[in-house]
Amino acid sequence: MFSKSCEYGLRAVIFIAQQSIEKNKVNISTISEEINSPQAFTAKILQQLTRNNIVKSVKGPHGGFTVEEHKMDIRLSEVVSVLDGDSIYKGCGLGLKQCDANSPCPLHYKFIEIRDNLKNMLENTSLKSVINDMYLEEIILKR
Amino acid sequence: MFSKSCEYGLRAVIFIAQQSIEKNKVNISTISEEINSPQAFTAKILQQLTRNNIVKSVKGPHGGFTVEEHKMDIRLSEVVSVLDGDSIYKGCGLGLKQCDANSPCPLHYKFIEIRDNLKNMLENTSLKSVINDMYLEEIILKR
DNA sequence: CATAAAAAGGATAATAAGGTCTTTTAATCT
DNA sequence: AGATTAAAAGACCTTATTATCCTTTTTATG
């Protein structure tokens, strides 16, 4: 469904956000340990998320990554579109370049439903709400 | 959503099935032309579908590919699982190896809904029904 | 100001996905 | 039987994704 980059990215953002709520900055080595991802690769992904103002990074001693308070209600869709673009929402299920109501592929209307579903879920799910859910149940980001 | 192999495979099967209803065998060069896919690669994919008894192949002059009548009600899910396996249905949205009701990822329940949706669509859509739909509206497999 | 901690950036390596080409096998038609 | 046509099979190549390594830059602190 998502690329590895996007999977790691989502996990990382969720972890960082959770820690930010507890007032902790976290560095890459902690992050990659806690979400079980390759460290250098994760660093690359966080660079992208930093450039796109989804996470904030601070260099130097006691530096690390945070999600600022006013960013807590960004949607998962924003993370996904930074890392994977919008092909999941827009692309044709059968891979046709041109596929819309005017010249639909045989599965066009069936796919629209599923993609809209995914789109709505990602657009309606804020970082904050994910973190809240995590406090309700024992929820893990490793393994 | 699907791999290229799976996209080409689905398009190919749909095209072959449609032609089979009109009593035509079709060869790879026609198929790849009509569904706009790389010929040699499409041949590879059709080999897999042949080995898995989804399409039937006949070698030699006037040979080609067909979908036999009793195969017309196989589901799209069967094609997808031959070409892409079942990770779309089973895999965790965040890429965790272990993720289920016992140790769910933060998005587990949200993803279940979407994957079930996709699963149901593919399991309830037969080749025959796709072809029928294609006769109702002007539907294309190219571009 | 020197040092250490941390992210940023560039270069490269490994693996997987996507795609091509050539040879082999099988069916059909003179 | 021999020529021809078409798929099957396997070897090979290319590109994109995933992943690592190493150097540079930034910055907090003793």
Side-chain angles (χ1 to χ4, degrees):
Chain A
M1 178 154 283
F2 301 129
S3 68
K4 280 283 164 206
S5 297
C6 193
E7 289 175 357
Y8 297 147
L10 284 167
R11 272 147 67 189
V13 170
I14 292 169
F15 174 70
I16 297 167
Q18 191 191 33
Q19 292 299 308
S20 292
I21 285 178
E22 324 235 317
K23 308 286 176 210
N24 301 325
K25 264 194 214 88
V26 277
N27 61 27
I28 327 178
S29 87
T30 307
I31 295 168
S32 62
E33 236 168 69
E34 290 300 318
I35 69 171
N36 199 38
S37 68
Q39 175 170 331
F41 191 45
T42 308
K44 284 279 133 89
I45 294 161
L46 286 174
Q47 275 178 41
Q48 285 184 73
L49 294 176
T50 303
R51 279 197 289 266
N52 286 274
N53 292 311
I54 287 173
V55 300
K56 196 192 161 195
S57 76
V58 176
K59 287 184 178 180
H62 306 120
F65 293 90
T66 53
V67 170
E68 292 182 298
E69 196 146 354
H70 66 281
K71 291 284 179 181
M72 283 293 174
D73 43 33
I74 62 163
R75 307 308 159 120
L76 299 184
S77 55
E78 296 182 54
V79 179
V80 171
S81 70
V82 164
L83 297 172
D84 274 4
D86 52 12
S87 65
I88 307 182
Y89 312 130
K90 293 195 175 168
C92 165
L94 296 183
L96 299 175
K97 268 161 209 156
Q98 200 206 356
C99 171
D100 49 42
N102 289 327
S103 54
C105 81
L107 300 175
H108 185 68
Y109 299 104
K110 308 204 179 216
F111 271 120
I112 276 191
E113 211 186 308
I114 286 153
R115 280 190 288 127
D116 281 357
N117 227 264
L118 175 62
K119 198 179 175 219
N120 290 336
M121 185 276 265
L122 295 172
E123 285 180 351
N124 294 325
T125 307
S126 67
L127 258 186
K128 198 188 294 174
S129 76
V130 174
I131 313 289
N132 282 341
D133 290 354
M134 292 175 73
Y135 285 109
L136 300 179
E137 205 181 342
E138 176 71 34
I139 289 220
I140 46 101
L141 275 171
K142 285 217 243 189
R143 288 254 143 165
Chain B
M1 180 154 281
F2 301 128
S3 68
K4 281 283 165 205
S5 297
C6 194
E7 288 175 357
Y8 296 147
L10 284 167
R11 270 148 68 189
V13 170
I14 292 169
F15 175 70
I16 298 167
Q18 191 192 34
Q19 292 299 306
S20 292
I21 284 176
E22 323 235 316
K23 307 289 178 209
N24 301 324
K25 264 194 214 88
V26 276
N27 61 29
I28 327 179
S29 85
T30 306
I31 294 168
S32 62
E33 237 169 69
E34 290 299 319
I35 69 170
N36 199 38
S37 67
Q39 176 169 332
F41 191 44
T42 308
K44 276 278 136 80
I45 295 162
L46 286 172
Q47 275 177 43
Q48 287 185 70
L49 295 175
T50 304
R51 278 197 290 268
N52 285 276
N53 292 312
I54 287 173
V55 300
K56 199 193 159 195
S57 76
V58 177
K59 288 183 181 182
H62 306 121
F65 295 88
T66 54
V67 171
E68 293 182 297
E69 196 147 355
H70 68 280
K71 290 285 177 179
M72 284 293 174
D73 43 33
I74 62 165
R75 306 308 159 120
L76 298 184
S77 56
E78 296 183 54
V79 179
V80 171
S81 69
V82 164
L83 298 172
D84 274 2
D86 52 14
S87 64
I88 305 183
Y89 312 130
K90 294 194 177 168
C92 165
L94 296 183
L96 299 175
K97 269 160 205 154
Q98 201 205 354
C99 171
D100 48 42
N102 290 327
S103 55
C105 80
L107 299 175
H108 185 69
Y109 299 104
K110 307 204 179 217
F111 271 120
I112 277 193
E113 210 186 308
I114 287 152
R115 281 190 288 127
D116 281 359
N117 226 263
L118 176 62
K119 198 178 175 222
N120 290 336
M121 186 276 267
L122 294 171
E123 285 179 351
N124 293 325
T125 307
S126 67
L127 258 187
K128 198 189 293 174
S129 76
V130 174
I131 313 288
N132 282 341
D133 290 354
M134 293 174 71
Y135 284 111
L136 300 179
E137 204 181 341
E138 176 69 34
I139 291 221
I140 44 100
L141 276 171
K142 285 216 245 190
R143 287 255 142 160

mmCIF file of all heavy atoms in Angstrom, chain B residues 78-104:
data_model
loop_
_atom_site.group_PDB
_atom_site.id
_atom_site.type_symbol
_atom_site.label_atom_id
_atom_site.label_comp_id
_atom_site.label_asym_id
_atom_site.label_seq_id
_atom_site.Cartn_x
_atom_site.Cartn_y
_atom_site.Cartn_z
ATOM 1 N N GLU B 78 -8.403 -13.636 -7.272
ATOM 2 C CA GLU B 78 -7.540 -14.768 -7.609
ATOM 3 C C GLU B 78 -6.378 -14.319 -8.483
ATOM 4 O O GLU B 78 -5.247 -14.777 -8.327
ATOM 5 C CB GLU B 78 -8.338 -15.852 -8.341
ATOM 6 C CG GLU B 78 -9.433 -16.454 -7.475
ATOM 7 C CD GLU B 78 -10.179 -17.582 -8.177
ATOM 8 O OE1 GLU B 78 -9.517 -18.527 -8.650
ATOM 9 O OE2 GLU B 78 -11.428 -17.517 -8.252
ATOM 10 N N VAL B 79 -6.659 -13.428 -9.410
ATOM 11 C CA VAL B 79 -5.599 -12.893 -10.266
ATOM 12 C C VAL B 79 -4.604 -12.107 -9.414
ATOM 13 O O VAL B 79 -3.392 -12.291 -9.523
ATOM 14 C CB VAL B 79 -6.200 -11.978 -11.356
ATOM 15 C CG1 VAL B 79 -5.095 -11.402 -12.231
ATOM 16 C CG2 VAL B 79 -7.211 -12.741 -12.200
ATOM 17 N N VAL B 80 -5.139 -11.263 -8.556
ATOM 18 C CA VAL B 80 -4.271 -10.447 -7.709
ATOM 19 C C VAL B 80 -3.405 -11.323 -6.818
ATOM 20 O O VAL B 80 -2.198 -11.085 -6.691
ATOM 21 C CB VAL B 80 -5.098 -9.462 -6.845
ATOM 22 C CG1 VAL B 80 -4.219 -8.773 -5.815
ATOM 23 C CG2 VAL B 80 -5.775 -8.433 -7.730
ATOM 24 N N SER B 81 -3.979 -12.380 -6.242
ATOM 25 C CA SER B 81 -3.140 -13.131 -5.310
ATOM 26 C C SER B 81 -2.089 -13.969 -6.035
ATOM 27 O O SER B 81 -1.010 -14.196 -5.498
ATOM 28 C CB SER B 81 -3.969 -13.933 -4.313
ATOM 29 O OG SER B 81 -4.633 -14.972 -4.950
ATOM 30 N N VAL B 82 -2.360 -14.370 -7.278
ATOM 31 C CA VAL B 82 -1.306 -15.033 -8.054
ATOM 32 C C VAL B 82 -0.146 -14.067 -8.309
ATOM 33 O O VAL B 82 1.025 -14.428 -8.175
ATOM 34 C CB VAL B 82 -1.847 -15.553 -9.411
ATOM 35 C CG1 VAL B 82 -0.705 -15.872 -10.368
ATOM 36 C CG2 VAL B 82 -2.725 -16.772 -9.200
ATOM 37 N N LEU B 83 -0.451 -12.831 -8.649
ATOM 38 C CA LEU B 83 0.600 -11.906 -9.090
ATOM 39 C C LEU B 83 1.210 -11.076 -7.962
ATOM 40 O O LEU B 83 2.387 -10.745 -8.005
ATOM 41 C CB LEU B 83 0.058 -10.989 -10.194
ATOM 42 C CG LEU B 83 -0.381 -11.727 -11.474
ATOM 43 C CD1 LEU B 83 -1.083 -10.782 -12.432
ATOM 44 C CD2 LEU B 83 0.815 -12.390 -12.167
ATOM 45 N N ASP B 84 0.435 -10.758 -6.966
ATOM 46 C CA ASP B 84 0.937 -9.893 -5.890
ATOM 47 C C ASP B 84 0.902 -10.547 -4.511
ATOM 48 O O ASP B 84 1.308 -9.930 -3.527
ATOM 49 C CB ASP B 84 0.118 -8.596 -5.821
ATOM 50 C CG ASP B 84 0.654 -7.531 -6.776
ATOM 51 O OD1 ASP B 84 1.613 -7.820 -7.508
ATOM 52 O OD2 ASP B 84 0.106 -6.415 -6.788
ATOM 53 N N GLY B 85 0.434 -11.770 -4.444
ATOM 54 C CA GLY B 85 0.308 -12.399 -3.131
ATOM 55 C C GLY B 85 -0.799 -11.752 -2.313
ATOM 56 O O GLY B 85 -1.616 -11.003 -2.847
ATOM 57 N N ASP B 86 -0.801 -12.030 -1.030
ATOM 58 C CA ASP B 86 -1.915 -11.543 -0.230
ATOM 59 C C ASP B 86 -1.520 -10.437 0.748
ATOM 60 O O ASP B 86 -2.225 -10.140 1.696
ATOM 61 C CB ASP B 86 -2.581 -12.687 0.531
ATOM 62 C CG ASP B 86 -1.560 -13.489 1.313
ATOM 63 O OD1 ASP B 86 -0.427 -13.012 1.465
ATOM 64 O OD2 ASP B 86 -1.914 -14.585 1.782
ATOM 65 N N SER B 87 -0.358 -9.798 0.494
ATOM 66 C CA SER B 87 0.089 -8.769 1.432
ATOM 67 C C SER B 87 -0.869 -7.581 1.486
ATOM 68 O O SER B 87 -0.977 -6.917 2.515
ATOM 69 C CB SER B 87 1.499 -8.307 1.087
ATOM 70 O OG SER B 87 1.508 -7.693 -0.176
ATOM 71 N N ILE B 88 -1.554 -7.319 0.406
ATOM 72 C CA ILE B 88 -2.498 -6.191 0.427
ATOM 73 C C ILE B 88 -3.606 -6.437 1.440
ATOM 74 O O ILE B 88 -4.060 -5.527 2.105
ATOM 75 C CB ILE B 88 -3.170 -5.981 -0.944
ATOM 76 C CG1 ILE B 88 -2.128 -5.813 -2.020
ATOM 77 C CG2 ILE B 88 -4.075 -4.742 -0.905
ATOM 78 C CD1 ILE B 88 -2.741 -5.539 -3.362
ATOM 79 N N TYR B 89 -4.038 -7.676 1.540
ATOM 80 C CA TYR B 89 -5.112 -7.993 2.487
ATOM 81 C C TYR B 89 -4.594 -8.138 3.903
ATOM 82 O O TYR B 89 -5.218 -7.764 4.859
ATOM 83 C CB TYR B 89 -5.801 -9.312 2.115
ATOM 84 C CG TYR B 89 -6.167 -9.416 0.674
ATOM 85 C CD1 TYR B 89 -5.820 -10.533 -0.067
ATOM 86 C CD2 TYR B 89 -6.857 -8.388 0.038
ATOM 87 C CE1 TYR B 89 -6.163 -10.628 -1.400
ATOM 88 C CE2 TYR B 89 -7.197 -8.474 -1.296
ATOM 89 C CZ TYR B 89 -6.845 -9.602 -2.009
ATOM 90 O OH TYR B 89 -7.165 -9.693 -3.329
ATOM 91 N N LYS B 90 -3.401 -8.775 3.996
ATOM 92 C CA LYS B 90 -2.932 -9.189 5.309
ATOM 93 C C LYS B 90 -1.959 -8.224 5.959
ATOM 94 O O LYS B 90 -1.907 -8.105 7.171
ATOM 95 C CB LYS B 90 -2.281 -10.579 5.207
ATOM 96 C CG LYS B 90 -3.286 -11.664 4.846
ATOM 97 C CD LYS B 90 -2.708 -13.056 5.096
ATOM 98 C CE LYS B 90 -3.749 -14.149 4.806
ATOM 99 N NZ LYS B 90 -3.153 -15.492 4.766
ATOM 100 N N GLY B 91 -1.121 -7.559 5.123
ATOM 101 C CA GLY B 91 -0.049 -6.742 5.666
ATOM 102 C C GLY B 91 -0.534 -5.577 6.514
ATOM 103 O O GLY B 91 -1.648 -5.090 6.358
ATOM 104 N N CYS B 92 0.339 -5.133 7.428
ATOM 105 C CA CYS B 92 0.063 -3.979 8.267
ATOM 106 C C CYS B 92 0.307 -2.702 7.459
ATOM 107 O O CYS B 92 1.278 -2.603 6.723
ATOM 108 C CB CYS B 92 0.981 -4.008 9.484
ATOM 109 S SG CYS B 92 1.074 -2.443 10.392
ATOM 110 N N GLY B 93 -0.564 -1.741 7.619
ATOM 111 C CA GLY B 93 -0.439 -0.481 6.886
ATOM 112 C C GLY B 93 0.842 0.269 7.195
ATOM 113 O O GLY B 93 1.371 0.989 6.358
ATOM 114 N N LEU B 94 1.373 0.080 8.388
ATOM 115 C CA LEU B 94 2.617 0.748 8.771
ATOM 116 C C LEU B 94 3.836 -0.153 8.598
ATOM 117 O O LEU B 94 4.939 0.187 9.006
ATOM 118 C CB LEU B 94 2.544 1.236 10.218
ATOM 119 C CG LEU B 94 1.498 2.306 10.530
ATOM 120 C CD1 LEU B 94 1.599 2.750 11.977
ATOM 121 C CD2 LEU B 94 1.687 3.518 9.620
ATOM 122 N N GLY B 95 3.617 -1.342 8.020
ATOM 123 C CA GLY B 95 4.728 -2.231 7.710
ATOM 124 C C GLY B 95 5.245 -3.056 8.876
ATOM 125 O O GLY B 95 6.328 -3.626 8.787
ATOM 126 N N LEU B 96 4.495 -3.137 9.956
ATOM 127 C CA LEU B 96 4.950 -3.955 11.087
ATOM 128 C C LEU B 96 4.724 -5.428 10.775
ATOM 129 O O LEU B 96 3.728 -5.807 10.171
ATOM 130 C CB LEU B 96 4.195 -3.574 12.356
ATOM 131 C CG LEU B 96 4.376 -2.137 12.824
ATOM 132 C CD1 LEU B 96 3.480 -1.851 14.024
ATOM 133 C CD2 LEU B 96 5.823 -1.859 13.181
ATOM 134 N N LYS B 97 5.678 -6.242 11.216
ATOM 135 C CA LYS B 97 5.559 -7.666 10.922
ATOM 136 C C LYS B 97 4.434 -8.283 11.727
ATOM 137 O O LYS B 97 3.635 -9.065 11.237
ATOM 138 C CB LYS B 97 6.877 -8.379 11.226
ATOM 139 C CG LYS B 97 7.786 -8.417 10.005
ATOM 140 C CD LYS B 97 9.233 -8.659 10.404
ATOM 141 C CE LYS B 97 10.173 -8.090 9.344
ATOM 142 N NZ LYS B 97 11.479 -7.738 9.881
ATOM 143 N N GLN B 98 4.434 -7.917 12.986
ATOM 144 C CA GLN B 98 3.369 -8.453 13.837
ATOM 145 C C GLN B 98 2.396 -7.326 14.139
ATOM 146 O O GLN B 98 2.759 -6.318 14.741
ATOM 147 C CB GLN B 98 3.978 -8.990 15.140
ATOM 148 C CG GLN B 98 3.073 -9.979 15.834
ATOM 149 C CD GLN B 98 3.354 -10.027 17.330
ATOM 150 O OE1 GLN B 98 4.285 -9.397 17.815
ATOM 151 N NE2 GLN B 98 2.536 -10.753 18.068
ATOM 152 N N CYS B 99 1.188 -7.458 13.691
ATOM 153 C CA CYS B 99 0.192 -6.418 13.921
ATOM 154 C C CYS B 99 -1.182 -7.055 13.809
ATOM 155 O O CYS B 99 -1.630 -7.407 12.736
ATOM 156 C CB CYS B 99 0.354 -5.298 12.891
ATOM 157 S SG CYS B 99 -0.975 -4.081 12.913
ATOM 158 N N ASP B 100 -1.831 -7.245 14.932
ATOM 159 C CA ASP B 100 -3.163 -7.840 14.941
ATOM 160 C C ASP B 100 -3.919 -7.333 16.161
ATOM 161 O O ASP B 100 -3.417 -6.463 16.880
ATOM 162 C CB ASP B 100 -3.058 -9.367 14.966
ATOM 163 C CG ASP B 100 -2.082 -9.846 16.026
ATOM 164 O OD1 ASP B 100 -2.114 -9.285 17.145
ATOM 165 O OD2 ASP B 100 -1.278 -10.763 15.754
ATOM 166 N N ALA B 101 -5.082 -7.867 16.398
ATOM 167 C CA ALA B 101 -5.894 -7.375 17.510
ATOM 168 C C ALA B 101 -5.148 -7.457 18.850
ATOM 169 O O ALA B 101 -5.334 -6.615 19.722
ATOM 170 C CB ALA B 101 -7.203 -8.155 17.586
ATOM 171 N N ASN B 102 -4.269 -8.451 18.976
ATOM 172 C CA ASN B 102 -3.512 -8.591 20.227
ATOM 173 C C ASN B 102 -2.454 -7.525 20.416
ATOM 174 O O ASN B 102 -2.262 -7.019 21.520
ATOM 175 C CB ASN B 102 -2.845 -9.974 20.289
ATOM 176 C CG ASN B 102 -3.863 -11.070 20.487
ATOM 177 O OD1 ASN B 102 -4.882 -10.854 21.149
ATOM 178 N ND2 ASN B 102 -3.620 -12.220 19.897
ATOM 179 N N SER B 103 -1.729 -7.211 19.339
ATOM 180 C CA SER B 103 -0.780 -6.107 19.420
ATOM 181 C C SER B 103 -0.910 -5.249 18.171
ATOM 182 O O SER B 103 -0.134 -5.397 17.231
ATOM 183 C CB SER B 103 0.643 -6.622 19.607
ATOM 184 O OG SER B 103 0.975 -7.531 18.595
ATOM 185 N N PRO B 104 -1.899 -4.397 18.192
ATOM 186 C CA PRO B 104 -2.222 -3.596 17.012
ATOM 187 C C PRO B 104 -1.316 -2.389 16.867
ATOM 188 O O PRO B 104 -0.852 -1.833 17.862
ATOM 189 C CB PRO B 104 -3.652 -3.132 17.293
ATOM 190 C CG PRO B 104 -3.711 -3.033 18.785
ATOM 191 C CD PRO B 104 -2.795 -4.091 19.321
#
